[in-house]
Amino acid sequence: LGIYGNTQQKTFEVVYDVAGRKLGFGSNGCS
Amino acid sequence: GVEGKITSHTTSVSSLLPSPSCSPSTSKASIRKSTLEVIHKHGPCSTLFQDPNPLNHTKVLLRDESRVKWIQSQSSNSSDGLKASAAVSLPAKSGMTIGIGNYVVTIGLGTPKKDLTLEFDTGSPLTWTQCEPCNRSCYTQSEPMFNPSQSSSYSNISCTSTSCSQLGGRGSGCSGSTCQYSIRYGDQSSSMGLFVTDKLMITPTEVIDKFEFGCGKNNQGLFGRTAGLIGLSNDKISIVEQTAAKYGKYFSYCLPSSPSYTGHLTFGKDGGAVSSVSFTPLSTVPRRSQFYGISILGIAVGGNRLSIPSTVFSSGGAIIDSGTVITRLPPTAYSALRTAFRNAMASYTMAPALNILDTCYDFSKESTITVPVITFSFAGRVDVDLDPNGIFFVAKASQVCLAFAPNRADSN
């Protein structure tokens, strides 16, 4: 099992659309 | 490589190092009504910053490894040593889940509301906080402990209720007619107490009545100075499910580039996410259904796709986890990544390994560095170019390490 950890998630908008069964990444999510 | 694509970052070394002062990013938290500010637990933006235990990078990695072993141990054919307890559906927790490398948000609980700073975790289902009176053992937290007797909106949950039955293996019977919960984590950290409801204020305008959570009466372990934990996993009792009618099981967050900045945690689509978000399918991981499964298809370094058979990624599967610090890869993939990264960084002086991190550099004599772009490809044609701060684990300027580690086997 690979694990995508929180260091690699830094600065991205990480979107959990649990109902839609999809995960999103958007750049510059904190700014 | 792809023609025209940026293949390296040139960045100042100082931007990788934490600043002693806080520079909060206020825009997201202020314009979205269902948004909480995300703060690194041990950074200068945290009210928990005065923790008597200084940040120890080796300890961070050891505890991160503990969390990963717990996650891996939930597979029936795992040989990683930590066995799942009887409560097999427990969150992916070692003490480190609640450990040093994580992020906190502050919510309001009760009437009148009490502010409580909780660690947020996409690998955990149950939200809990320490409660007065503490029957046996509670650890020292920064904020005053939640006292149910001082909240007019507090209620116990009955043993015979549907809510209590949804605890499943996390339930521990009744106290009188009140439902009890019990969580024991992989490192023997634990929280036990009453399963209750009260008013949850995400923000002053976003209120969840009768939010179900654990009122911890006996809490032991490595919880730092937080007041508890907020569970965001895919489970009936998580805040995601409990607020499904209001927020549609939709949330997002941004983790700041360094502990000196703040990010956000947002429930629902209100306010809109950043303009361009690329989506990859979420999957269910067998025997680890509370986690959010994703499909990694490949990795590129400096614009060049690494030669890794697709079966290397597909055989073990993958999850995304807010509570694990370092990304774990199949050994074959990690080896290819390490080789390509070292080749691209050959002009820099290497530094000693740091625990599980074997590719470290001494940047103490550099003002700027040029780092190859690392790109993750996910199912759905989603390519994510990591931020420079997402490539390194920084112990100090003279020991900046590639923030990836291998699993024990490709099949693990």
Side-chain angles (χ1 to χ4, degrees):
Chain A
L1 183 74
I3 304 173
Y4 195 74
N6 65 35
T7 298
Q8 282 65 37
Q9 298 172 40
K10 285 179 181 177
T11 74
F12 284 91
E13 178 94 359
V14 185
V15 180
Y16 292 72
D17 184 351
V18 182
R21 301 302 301 159
K22 57 186 183 179
L23 177 87
F25 292 97
S27 57
N28 298 316
C30 295
S31 59
Chain B
V2 178
E3 191 175 348
K5 181 174 169 56
I6 295 172
T7 58
S8 65
H9 305 283
T10 297
T11 187
S12 65
V13 172
S14 61
S15 71
L16 299 176
L17 304 173
S19 162
S21 60
C22 176
S23 303
S25 168
T26 56
S27 56
K28 283 274 179 1
S30 59
I31 63 174
R32 293 177 173 180
K33 65 180 183 180
S34 56
T35 291
L36 295 161
E37 193 171 49
V38 166
I39 292 170
H40 194 281
K41 198 165 109 182
H42 288 252
C45 298
S46 171
T47 56
L48 316 175
F49 189 45
Q50 302 305 320
D51 195 315
N53 301 311
L55 184 61
N56 178 315
H57 294 95
T58 300
K59 193 180 290 183
V60 170
L61 296 173
L62 286 171
R63 292 179 177 175
D64 201 46
E65 191 70 354
S66 178
R67 177 181 177 101
V68 169
K69 284 184 177 179
W70 196 92
I71 293 172
Q72 305 287 18
S73 74
Q74 294 194 66
S75 168
S76 60
N77 59 2
S78 168
S79 59
D80 261 333
L82 282 173
K83 301 301 181 187
S85 69
V88 291
S89 57
L90 285 184
K93 300 240 160 271
S94 64
M96 191 32 159
T97 321
I98 318 171
I100 295 171
N102 295 324
Y103 297 88
V104 295
V105 294
T106 300
I107 52 90
L109 196 62
T111 307
K113 86 173 174 76
K114 298 292 183 186
D115 286 338
L116 298 169
T117 299
L118 308 177
E119 193 134 354
F120 81 91
D121 187 355
T122 60
S124 293
L126 180 70
T127 298
W128 63 267
T129 187
Q130 296 197 110
C131 280
E132 294 276 13
C134 207
N135 295 344
R136 292 188 179 178
S137 171
C138 284
Y139 57 87
T140 302
Q141 64 181 55
S142 290
E143 296 143 332
M145 206 176 294
F146 181 69
N147 189 336
S149 69
Q150 295 175 0
S151 173
S152 61
S153 47
Y154 172 92
S155 292
N156 292 329
I157 291 176
S158 161
C159 268
T160 56
S161 68
T162 303
S163 296
C164 190
S165 66
Q166 286 177 340
L167 281 174
R170 297 153 296 213
S172 64
C174 303
S175 173
S177 62
T178 300
C179 184
Q180 287 187 301
Y181 77 95
S182 175
I183 286 181
R184 183 169 295 279
Y185 302 118
D187 68 342
Q188 304 306 308
S189 293
S190 62
S191 176
M192 303 171 200
L194 304 178
F195 195 45
V196 303
T197 70
D198 207 335
K199 183 180 292 187
L200 170 68
M201 293 183 73
I202 294 175
T203 65
T205 60
E206 295 294 299
V207 177
I208 311 298
D209 290 320
K210 300 186 187 314
F211 178 70
E212 299 172 352
F213 64 98
C215 201
K217 303 283 191 175
N218 185 0
N219 315 296
Q220 302 179 50
L222 302 167
F223 301 115
R225 290 193 166 225
T226 62
L229 187 139
I230 186 165
L232 288 158
S233 78
N234 188 21
D235 189 286
K236 286 286 185 187
I237 62 172
S238 81
I239 189 172
V240 178
E241 186 74 35
Q242 287 194 51
T243 60
K246 190 176 182 74
Y247 300 122
K249 297 175 73 171
Y250 189 105
F251 68 96
S252 61
Y253 58 73
C254 180
L255 307 179
S257 60
S258 95
S260 308
Y261 299 100
T262 59
H264 67 90
L265 169 64
T266 299
F267 292 94
K269 297 180 182 177
D270 175 65
V274 292
S275 55
S276 60
V277 175
S278 301
F279 285 95
T280 184
L282 277 173
S283 57
T284 300
V285 183
R287 294 184 294 276
R288 307 176 184 92
S289 61
Q290 76 268 32
F291 297 116
Y292 294 107
I294 53 175
S295 297
I296 300 172
L297 301 184
I299 301 172
V301 175
N304 297 310
R305 179 88 168 224
L306 302 178
S307 180
I308 303 168
S310 60
T311 52
V312 166
F313 291 112
S314 61
S315 63
I319 63 167
I320 184 168
D321 182 27
S322 72
T324 298
V325 179
I326 302 296
T327 287
R328 302 314 202 274
L329 294 171
T332 299
Y334 176 71
S335 178
L337 170 63
R338 178 178 65 177
T339 298
F341 191 81
R342 285 186 174 189
N343 287 341
M345 298 287 287
S347 62
Y348 295 102
T349 304
M350 291 198 74
L354 179 64
N355 191 258
I356 57 173
L357 307 179
D358 67 2
T359 299
C360 302
Y361 296 90
D362 180 353
F363 293 146
S364 61
K365 295 182 176 62
E366 314 286 345
S367 57
T368 61
I369 53 171
T370 299
V371 183
V373 170
I374 295 180
T375 307
F376 270 70
S377 296
F378 299 100
R381 296 186 176 184
V382 174
D383 288 341
V384 173
D385 291 346
L386 301 186
D387 185 271
N389 289 281
I391 293 175
F392 293 116
F393 181 88
V394 181
K396 49 194 173 186
S398 60
Q399 196 176 32
V400 179
C401 303
L402 180 64
F404 295 87
N407 281 326
R408 289 188 182 178
D410 285 346
S411 58
N412 184 272

